[in-house]
């Protein structure tokens, strides 16, 4: 028997408990309008036969495969309340536990309910979905609930636009009586099929999104470091401009500034370096990266001194950036490894 672990989340009154009762074909979860009805997260389980390989199958309402449906009904979300914080803590615990206990054919996913008549899809809902799906690598299906009309509304279009990697399914969990007649429930079977049959595809999509997000994060982090590094180099260059005429005897002072600048650059990118290391890499940088080492020729003016410092700074910053770009987060924390890579990179640039 496979377990299907479903977390049902969404704003208060979106129809979470009604949906659970409709799927389990039993009034297990209390429902109602007005104030929040579900006051505690609660799991409802039932063994069911589900025809999960053909969503149009008419042979049996839910088909032929034996599944245990564990449906976790949760307290309605509200913006910035301590109740919602506790609800989320519980939900995270539930997801983690379900994922740890998963056997080969078990699946764990979230149905996020949004009332079709909501005026908008809130930004906190969007952020929450993104955060949870990425952190737990868990597929979400967005369930547009209480759909009395079977046509795509603005809300649904907005959600599809905001979350293109997720499935969106429209449902009416319980028939709706109007003066004009009765609108029959619809969409439940499609919801189950989308959740189970598309599970692997959806999981892959989440992993892809996570990977792209990590890549973007890394790139923007690198860009920030680069900007900070450039500022640092510029500061040292400006400092040199202020020292006025630079006689030959002052070259050690200029070199001292370069070494200090390189130590600062290391610090900016999170590498702690000893003065000795900075001295060594400075030698590498001067001999290797700058085509004509200025050591031998007199520094005639502060403008040249400043250009000299900035050239070394830029070259060293580029070296640091290329080392960081190809190092993982764990590697970045290993100071010895980073020092080794910086030296190797400088040697490579020398050739
Ligand atoms: N006819 C009909 N009514 C629905 C449907 N879904 C929800 N409702 C009504 O909407 C109200 C709220 O539904 P609930 O299922 O209690 O909503 P909930 O999300 O569990 O709400 P909380 O527990 O308060 O967070 C109830 O009066 C339901 O009868 C539906 O598919 N059809
Ligand atoms: Mg409820």
């Amino acid at each position: 028997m496979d377990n299907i672990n479903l977390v049902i989340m969404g704003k208060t009154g979106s129809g979470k408990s009604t949906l659970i009762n409709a799927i389990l074909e039993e009034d297990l979860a209390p429902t109602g309008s007005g104030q929040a009805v579900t006051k505690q997260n609660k799991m409802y389980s039932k063994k069911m036969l589900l025809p999960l390989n053909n969503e149009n199958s008419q042979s049996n309402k839910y088909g032929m495969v034996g599944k245990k449906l564990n449906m976790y009904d949760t307290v309605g979300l509200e913006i910035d309340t301590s109740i919602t914080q506790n609800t989320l803590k519980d939900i995270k615990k539930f997801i983690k536990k379900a994922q740890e206990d998963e056997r080969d054919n078990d699946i764990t996913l979230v149905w996020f309910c949004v009332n079709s008549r909501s005026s908008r899809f809130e930004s906190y809902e969007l952020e929450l979905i993104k955060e949870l799906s990425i952190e737990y690598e868990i597929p979400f299906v967005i369930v547009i609930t209480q759909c009395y009309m079977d046509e795509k509304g603005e809300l649904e279009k907005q959600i599809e636009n905001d979350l293109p990697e997720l499935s969106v399914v429209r449902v009416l969990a319980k028939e709706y009586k109007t003066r004009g007649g009765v609108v029959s429930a619809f969409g439940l079977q499609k919801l189950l099929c989308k959740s189970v049959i598309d599970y692997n595809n959806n999981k892959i999509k989440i992993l892809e999104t996570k990977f792209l997000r990590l890549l973007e994060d890394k790139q923007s982090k690198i860009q920030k470091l680069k900007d900070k590094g450039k500022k640092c180099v510029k500061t040292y260059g400006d400092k040199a401009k202020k020292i006025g005429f630079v006689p030959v005897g002052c070259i050690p002072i200029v070199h001292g500034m370069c070494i200090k600048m390189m130590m600062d650059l290391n610090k900016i990118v999170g590498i702690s370096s000893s003065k000795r290391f900075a001295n060594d890499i400075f030698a590498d940088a001067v001999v290797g990266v700058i085509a004509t080492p200025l050591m031998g020729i007199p520094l005639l003016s502060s403008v040249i001194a400043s250009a000299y410092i900035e050239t070394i700074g830029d070259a060293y910053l580029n070296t640091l950036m290329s080392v960081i770009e190809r190092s993982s987060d764990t590697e970045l924390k290993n100071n010895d490894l980073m020092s080794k890579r910086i030296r190797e990179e400088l040697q490579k640039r020398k050739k």
Side-chain angles (χ1 to χ4, degrees), residues 17 30 38 73:
S17 305
T38 304
D73 191 10

PDB file of all heavy atoms in Angstrom, residues 17 30 38 73, ligand 2:
ATOM      1  N   SER A  17     -11.197  22.206   4.684  1.00  0.00           N
ATOM      2  CA  SER A  17     -11.850  21.074   5.352  1.00  0.00           C
ATOM      3  C   SER A  17     -12.941  20.467   4.461  1.00  0.00           C
ATOM      4  O   SER A  17     -13.107  19.244   4.418  1.00  0.00           O
ATOM      5  CB  SER A  17     -12.441  21.534   6.689  1.00  0.00           C
ATOM      6  OG  SER A  17     -11.429  22.147   7.472  1.00  0.00           O
ATOM      7  N   PRO A  30     -14.624  19.360  10.586  1.00  0.00           N
ATOM      8  CA  PRO A  30     -15.674  20.375  10.732  1.00  0.00           C
ATOM      9  C   PRO A  30     -15.488  21.522   9.747  1.00  0.00           C
ATOM     10  O   PRO A  30     -14.353  21.940   9.479  1.00  0.00           O
ATOM     11  CB  PRO A  30     -15.506  20.874  12.172  1.00  0.00           C
ATOM     12  CG  PRO A  30     -14.184  20.390  12.644  1.00  0.00           C
ATOM     13  CD  PRO A  30     -13.757  19.266  11.763  1.00  0.00           C
ATOM     14  N   THR A  38     -11.432  25.530  11.709  1.00  0.00           N
ATOM     15  CA  THR A  38     -10.396  24.568  12.105  1.00  0.00           C
ATOM     16  C   THR A  38      -9.423  25.274  13.046  1.00  0.00           C
ATOM     17  O   THR A  38      -8.759  26.230  12.665  1.00  0.00           O
ATOM     18  CB  THR A  38      -9.667  24.031  10.854  1.00  0.00           C
ATOM     19  OG1 THR A  38     -10.645  23.485   9.976  1.00  0.00           O
ATOM     20  CG2 THR A  38      -8.647  22.970  11.210  1.00  0.00           C
ATOM     21  N   ASP A  73      -5.268  18.425   7.671  1.00  0.00           N
ATOM     22  CA  ASP A  73      -6.068  19.659   7.631  1.00  0.00           C
ATOM     23  C   ASP A  73      -5.399  20.686   8.544  1.00  0.00           C
ATOM     24  O   ASP A  73      -5.005  20.362   9.667  1.00  0.00           O
ATOM     25  CB  ASP A  73      -7.491  19.355   8.145  1.00  0.00           C
ATOM     26  CG  ASP A  73      -8.449  20.513   7.891  1.00  0.00           C
ATOM     27  OD1 ASP A  73      -8.071  21.452   7.156  1.00  0.00           O
ATOM     28  OD2 ASP A  73      -9.576  20.482   8.442  1.00  0.00           O
TER      29      ASP A  73
HETATM   30 MG1  LIG B   2     -11.072  24.116   8.147  1.00  0.00          MG
END
